[in-house]
């Protein structure tokens, strides 16, 4: 086994987006691509000499091969230890937990999240820092800077490791420790929730279905929901992770998890259903005959978290991404706790969590989490919901309707226009930005604009500023439209249009969501000249 230094030239476009580097798998498979990116990460963080790293991914195509490459580079750069999930598997929240629990210096997580997997689909790689959370913008900017000037990388010439064998192996002078991906995570969940109560609920006949979408949460959900909490075998479906997610799209939303939605809407649907994504950090919550929007789910969890032992002391505060509905703001106000509005990207919650300013965070993109790790956590959200349902002994629908009756309802939907020409999308945004100052007072369809701006964020902990984080348009009556371009797509541009309208407690709380938002959707399309620029008249996905 010998250490070698290979000269290389930079690959263009190794720029981390909303959540790490995401590209087509074939791009990651180009000779030297993973090597240069990983070496650039190590260069940007001051090297990995004597450091401990956690490495794992969602099991998609090329996961295992990329892990072998990462381990060689880490060893050749002098890392002391790599803690790796058996067979290269670690859900994103489980990786975050391991970084924290084992006091690792950081971690490399391989995932393109909810994007499909396969040689012609997507792959991703991101670096998480020692708090267990995604690297902040200062670090991702330094990584990108390194990728643009990299001239050599260090690696080992050696055979592949056996990623199945639990325990320690040596790779040069680095120790590689293969761990059970589920054990530590399950232990953490046991500390946060009343497993006895949830077990009693299920034993009493409460039925549930969890769709792991052929992705990484399968083993976690089986171990926790079936083996430990007593849900009957078969309650967790699509539970075996596969490299191409069963040729599916592991995105837990009403479009891609439609069979689950159809099931809960049917006569024989379970009392509770949920799904998680490729790497296990997203969640979708459903009850008999009802879908809970991620924004409502965050608000409901914030209002009820104290019913779970891990949150019995109350919440320090809550945070949500800017495009997420303001439903949780109303809960924070009632609880008299802080509420923060951050740009899209879980990395922006890290400082608030570390500083103890917030306990719960969430996003419209099906992400909810707490200070137990520094990533969003799909199964955690499911367990918190189950704990609340066990305590309140009412249905999901009752919880939701009771919430609206108490706080009013924030009607909410996101419309995605996928694989739009990147140039057209940029032009559309630039045109709208140029016209922002003149929008106030304008009428579009049935809506009148009251204000419009671009969202900027100043981190209250370290003072860093992030500009250009999305266009906001407010309408008379309290409606809002937000437009931004996704930072996680791999093909052209994905335009996201976020729509929201508030109905007070004495307003109409039972309208169909898209009907409630129709006027705002039309106004936003008109003001942004969406069809003119994109050629689209309807979104590809509505969540
Ligand atoms: C990532 C980020 C989230 C973000 C989501 C969508 O999630 O961690 O914070 O909300 O992408 O981002 P965008 O709108 O830019 O596509 P994940 O689950 O994909 O890692």
């Amino acid at each position: 086994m010998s250490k070698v230094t290979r000269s290389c030239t930079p690959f263009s476009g190794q720029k981390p987006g909303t959540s790490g580097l995401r590209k087509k798998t074939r791009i990651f498979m180009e000779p030297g691509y993973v090597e240069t990116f990983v070496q650039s990460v190590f260069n940007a963080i001051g090297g990995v000499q004597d450091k401990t790293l956690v490495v794992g991914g969602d099991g998609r195509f090329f996961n295992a091969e990329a892990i072998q490459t990462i381990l060689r580079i880490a060893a050749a750069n002098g890392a002391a230890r790599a803690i790796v999930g058996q067979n290269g598997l670690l859900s994103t929240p489980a990786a975050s937990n391991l970084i924290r629990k084992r006091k690792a210096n950081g971690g490399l997580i391989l995932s393109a999240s909810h994007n499909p997997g396969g040689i012609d689909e997507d792959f991703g790689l991101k670096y998480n820092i020692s708090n267990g959370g995604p690297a902040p913008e200062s670090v991702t900017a330094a990584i990108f800077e390194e990728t643009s000037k990299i001239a050599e990388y260090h690696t080992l010439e050696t055979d592949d490791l056996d990623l199945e064998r639990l325990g320690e192996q040596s790779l040069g002078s680095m120790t590689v420790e293969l761990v059970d991906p589920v054990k530590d995570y399950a232990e953490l969940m046991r500390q946060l929730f009343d497993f006895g109560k949830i077990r009693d609920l299920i034993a009493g006949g409460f039925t549930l279905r969890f769709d792991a979408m052929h992705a990484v949460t399968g083993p976690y959900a089986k171990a926790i929901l079936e083996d430990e909490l007593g849900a009957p075998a078969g309650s967790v479906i699509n539970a075996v992770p596969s490299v191409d997610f069963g040729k599916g799209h592991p995105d837990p939303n009403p479009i891609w998890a439609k069979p689950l939605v159809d099931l809960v809407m049917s006569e024989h649907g379970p009392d509770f259903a949920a799904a998680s994504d490729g790497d296990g950090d997203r969640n979708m919550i459903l009850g008999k005959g009802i879908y809970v929007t991620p924004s409502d789910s965050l608000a409901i969890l914030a209002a009820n978290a104290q019913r779970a032992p891990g949150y019995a002391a109350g919440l320090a505060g809550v945070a949500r991404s800017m495009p997420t509905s303001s439903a949780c703001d109303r809960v924070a106000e009632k609880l008299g706790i802080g509420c923060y509005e951050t740009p899209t990207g879980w990395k922006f919650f890290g400082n608030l969590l570390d500083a103890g300013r917030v306990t719960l965070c969430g996003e419209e993109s099906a992400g909810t989490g707490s200070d137990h790790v520094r990533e969003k956590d799909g199964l955690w959200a499911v367990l918190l919901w189950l704990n609340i349902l066990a305590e309140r002994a009412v249905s999901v629908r009752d919880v939701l309707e009771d919430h609206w009756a108490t706080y009013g309802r924030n009607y909410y939907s996101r419309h995605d226009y996928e694989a739009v020409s990147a140039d057209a999308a940029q032009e559309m945004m630039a045109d709208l930005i140029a016209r922002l100052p003149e929008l106030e007072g304008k009428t579009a369809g049935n809506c009148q604009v009251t204000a419009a701006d671009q969202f900027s964020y100043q981190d209250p902990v370290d003072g860093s500023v992030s500009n250009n984080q999305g266009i906001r348009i407010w309408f008379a009556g309290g409606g809002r439209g937000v437009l931004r371009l996704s930072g996680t797509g791999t093909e052209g541009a994905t335009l996201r249009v976020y729509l929201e309208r508030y109905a007070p407690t004495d307003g109409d709380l039972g309208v169909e969501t898209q009907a409630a938002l129709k006027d705002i959707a039309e106004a936003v399309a008109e003001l942004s000249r969406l069809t003119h620029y994109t050629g689209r008249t309807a979104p590809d996905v509505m969540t």
Side-chain angles (χ1 to χ4, degrees):
M1 179 177 321
S2 52
K3 184 179 149 180
V4 289
T5 296
R6 299 212 167 103
S7 50
C8 60
T9 49
F11 286 86
S12 66
Q14 288 193 329
K15 186 175 178 137
T18 309
S19 185
L21 187 65
R22 290 196 189 158
K23 299 279 176 199
K24 287 287 163 203
T25 310
R26 286 187 192 275
I27 294 181
F28 268 97
M29 292 170 74
E30 284 174 28
Y33 194 89
V34 171
E35 288 86 341
T36 50
F37 186 69
V38 173
Q39 184 68 57
S40 299
V41 170
F42 292 167
N43 293 349
I45 60 170
V48 290
Q49 184 71 41
D50 300 328
K51 289 184 179 173
T52 296
L53 298 169
V54 168
V55 184
D58 62 12
R60 67 181 59 224
F61 185 87
F62 196 55
N63 187 65
E65 294 85 342
I67 286 180
Q68 299 283 0
T69 304
I70 291 168
L71 293 177
R72 287 190 186 104
I73 297 197
N77 278 273
R81 179 175 288 264
I83 302 166
V84 185
Q86 186 183 28
N87 295 320
L89 292 183
L90 278 179
S91 77
T92 292
S96 181
N97 178 46
L98 271 180
I99 294 171
R100 297 167 66 76
K101 184 169 177 180
R102 300 292 304 273
K103 301 201 175 355
N105 299 88
L108 285 155
I109 303 179
L110 301 88
S111 174
S113 188
H114 52 289
N115 295 3
I119 192 164
D120 290 314
E121 299 294 351
D122 294 353
F123 196 79
L125 180 53
K126 73 171 170 175
Y127 178 69
N128 279 31
I129 59 176
S130 62
N131 73 353
E137 279 194 329
S138 55
V139 177
T140 55
I143 293 171
F144 182 49
E145 168 80 28
E146 290 293 333
T147 65
S148 63
K149 60 182 191 206
I150 188 160
E152 60 179 32
Y153 63 84
H154 311 295
T155 188
L156 294 184
E157 277 181 340
T158 176
D159 291 339
D160 281 354
L161 285 179
D162 177 359
L163 295 181
E164 207 181 332
R165 180 153 59 90
L166 289 173
E168 295 187 347
Q169 304 173 46
S170 294
L171 187 65
S173 56
M174 182 173 85
T175 302
V176 177
E177 182 186 342
L178 268 298
V179 299
D180 177 338
V182 178
K183 192 171 150 283
D184 296 274
Y185 177 82
E187 201 174 294
L188 178 62
M189 294 301 114
R190 250 173 252 130
Q191 289 164 19
L192 297 173
F193 303 115
D194 189 339
F195 273 27
K197 271 251 160 66
I198 302 175
R199 211 177 286 126
D200 290 347
L201 176 76
I202 294 171
F206 178 92
T207 52
L208 68 89
R209 189 65 61 93
F210 179 91
D211 188 347
M213 304 191 87
H214 305 278
V216 79
T217 36
Y220 294 84
K222 265 206 159 307
I224 296 173
L225 298 175
E226 292 189 4
D227 301 347
E228 202 155 339
L229 296 173
S235 299
V236 179
I237 56 172
N238 302 321
V240 180
S242 73
V243 290
D244 62 357
F245 307 121
K247 302 215 181 312
H249 197 134
D251 194 353
N253 66 36
I255 307 296
W256 298 115
K258 188 167 182 301
L260 192 69
V261 179
D262 290 345
L263 178 73
V264 296
M265 298 302 168
S266 76
E267 229 176 278
H268 310 291
D271 296 310
F272 177 86
S276 193
D277 68 332
D279 60 330
D281 57 2
R282 296 184 175 208
N283 73 88
M284 174 174 69
I285 302 292
L286 303 153
K288 204 187 265 299
I290 203 151
Y291 162 70
V292 184
T293 67
S295 295
D296 276 347
S297 179
L298 171 65
I300 287 166
L301 294 182
N304 291 275
Q306 266 182 286
R307 296 171 198 267
Y311 305 95
L315 308 178
V318 292
R320 63 166 173 86
S321 66
M322 178 276 282
T324 304
S325 96
S326 59
C328 80
D329 304 28
R330 296 171 202 285
V331 175
E333 198 183 336
K334 189 159 180 203
L335 293 174
I337 57 175
C339 182
Y340 298 83
E341 185 181 37
T342 61
T344 294
W346 204 262
K347 58 192 171 207
F348 292 103
F349 295 135
N351 278 349
L352 297 170
L353 290 163
D354 284 350
R357 291 194 187 215
V358 302
T359 310
L360 248 58
C361 330
E363 296 184 284
E364 51 64 40
S365 59
T368 3
S370 86
D371 58 0
H372 69 292
V373 288
R374 292 294 181 274
E375 287 279 4
K376 52 191 188 271
D377 188 344
L379 204 44
W380 167 91
V382 169
L383 291 167
L384 182 49
W385 261 97
L386 289 174
N387 202 149
I388 291 166
L389 292 171
E391 285 288 340
R392 290 187 58 174
V394 293
S395 69
V396 174
R397 179 182 287 281
D398 288 342
V399 171
L400 199 59
E401 291 182 350
D402 175 54
H403 189 88
W404 294 336
T406 309
Y407 296 94
R409 179 172 179 183
N410 287 75
Y411 286 101
Y412 189 85
S413 181
R414 188 180 89 193
H415 292 186
D416 289 340
Y417 298 81
E418 294 176 343
V420 170
S421 137
D423 288 346
Q426 297 286 0
E427 276 171 38
M428 188 194 101
M429 294 296 276
D431 175 22
L432 185 56
I433 289 165
R435 287 183 292 114
L436 284 178
E438 36 180 276
L439 288 192
E440 192 183 322
K442 268 223 157 78
T443 298
N446 295 325
C447 300
Q448 194 188 16
V449 178
T450 54
D453 72 1
Q454 279 202 84
F455 179 57
S456 285
Y457 177 66
Q458 178 160 35
D459 186 304
V461 179
D462 66 14
S464 59
V465 174
S466 304
N467 290 320
N468 310 326
Q469 298 295 325
I471 298 172
R472 307 186 284 191
I473 306 173
W474 288 272
F475 298 101
R480 184 182 77 155
V482 171
L483 298 97
R484 57 178 284 282
L485 300 181
S486 159
T488 57
T490 58
E491 221 177 314
T494 296
L495 169 66
R496 302 207 194 282
V497 179
Y498 311 82
L499 307 162
E500 179 177 4
R501 180 166 79 76
Y502 178 65
T505 51
D506 59 355
D508 203 346
L509 301 176
V511 184
E512 191 275 321
T513 301
Q514 298 304 330
L517 296 167
K518 188 168 173 282
D519 285 354
I520 294 177
E522 285 171 4
V524 171
E526 183 182 325
L527 293 166
S528 62
R529 300 172 179 163
L530 195 152
T531 301
H532 165 77
Y533 281 106
T534 66
R536 305 290 175 88
T537 50
D540 298 288
V541 176
M542 291 191 265
T543 57

